[in-house]
Amino acid sequence: MTFFTKRFDELSNSEIHEIFRLRSEVFVVEQNCVYQDIDGKDPVALHCYIQLENGDITAYTRIFDKGDYHSDKTSIGRVIVNPKYRRAGYGIQIMNYSIEQCEELFGKVSIEIGAQQYLRKFYNDLGFEETGHDYLEDGIPHTTLIFPADGFEKRTKA
C-alpha cells in the first residue's frame, strides 16, 4: 500500500479515470444523488489517495490551500473509501494522511470540511469540531466541521 499526494497535472490518465470512476460510483450511483462531481476545482486541488499493489485505489480525498476553496481555511473534500475496501480502516488512514499533508504543505491552519451528517462521530474522533452549521447539499444533510489550528499540536501530543 502506498500513499500519494499529486497535483492534477501529475495524475496519469488511468489515475484520473479511476478517481472519477470511484467518485461517481459512490457519490452519484450509490448515494443516488445526481450532481456535477467534476466541478472545475480538481485542477487546483491536491489529490491524496491510497493505492494497493494491485492498482486499486482504496481511499481518496482532495485538499485545498486556504484561498483555493475557503478564503481563510484549508479544506479537505471528496472523502471516499472504495466500497470493496470498507471497514478496513482506510477512511481513518486517508483522513490522517490528508490532515498531515495539510499541515506539511499549508502550515498549521484550520481545516474546514462539509461532511455528511451521519459521519459526524467519525470526524469528531479525528479532532474535527462542530460548528452548528447544518445544511442540505444535493438533498443530503451535511454539517460544517473545523479542525482547529491548535489541533495539530494536540495530535502530536497524543
Side-chain angles (χ1 to χ4, degrees), residues 29-43:
V29 177
E30 181 181 293
Q31 295 180 355
N32 195 27
C33 183
V34 178
Y35 82 109
Q36 184 62 43
D37 175 54
I38 301 173
D39 58 2
K41 294 181 176 122
D42 288 302

Side-chain angles (χ1 to χ4, degrees), residues 8-9 11-21:
F8 188 73
D9 61 0
L11 294 168
S12 70
N13 288 340
S14 61
E15 289 168 324
I16 291 169
H17 174 81
E18 181 60 17
I19 288 166
F20 286 166
R21 186 204 60 73

Side-chain angles (χ1 to χ4, degrees), residues 47-136:
H47 302 268
C48 301
Y49 59 98
I50 302 170
Q51 190 169 35
L52 298 179
E53 289 75 22
N54 68 5
D56 285 357
I57 292 176
T58 63
Y60 165 88
T61 67
R62 63 182 190 180
I63 63 175
F64 295 91
D65 196 357
K66 68 180 182 175
D68 288 340
Y69 200 90
H70 299 289
S71 61
D72 61 339
K73 296 175 190 71
T74 59
S75 180
I76 300 173
R78 295 294 199 268
V79 179
I80 194 165
V81 175
N82 187 321
K84 292 188 330 191
Y85 298 102
R86 289 193 181 142
R87 309 220 188 313
Y90 291 114
I92 292 168
Q93 289 182 47
I94 194 63
M95 281 304 297
N96 281 325
Y97 177 72
S98 298
I99 292 166
E100 291 164 7
Q101 289 296 286
C102 284
E103 177 184 17
E104 182 179 319
L105 299 169
F106 311 135
K108 293 180 176 155
V109 178
S110 296
I111 303 169
E112 182 171 326
I113 62 171
Q116 293 181 13
Q117 286 183 7
Y118 81 95
L119 291 168
R120 275 185 164 129
K121 182 177 177 351
F122 172 78
Y123 290 111
N124 291 154
D125 290 348
L126 290 165
F128 286 85
E129 299 174 354
E130 305 279 335
T131 65
H133 180 243
D134 296 339
Y135 58 97
L136 274 180

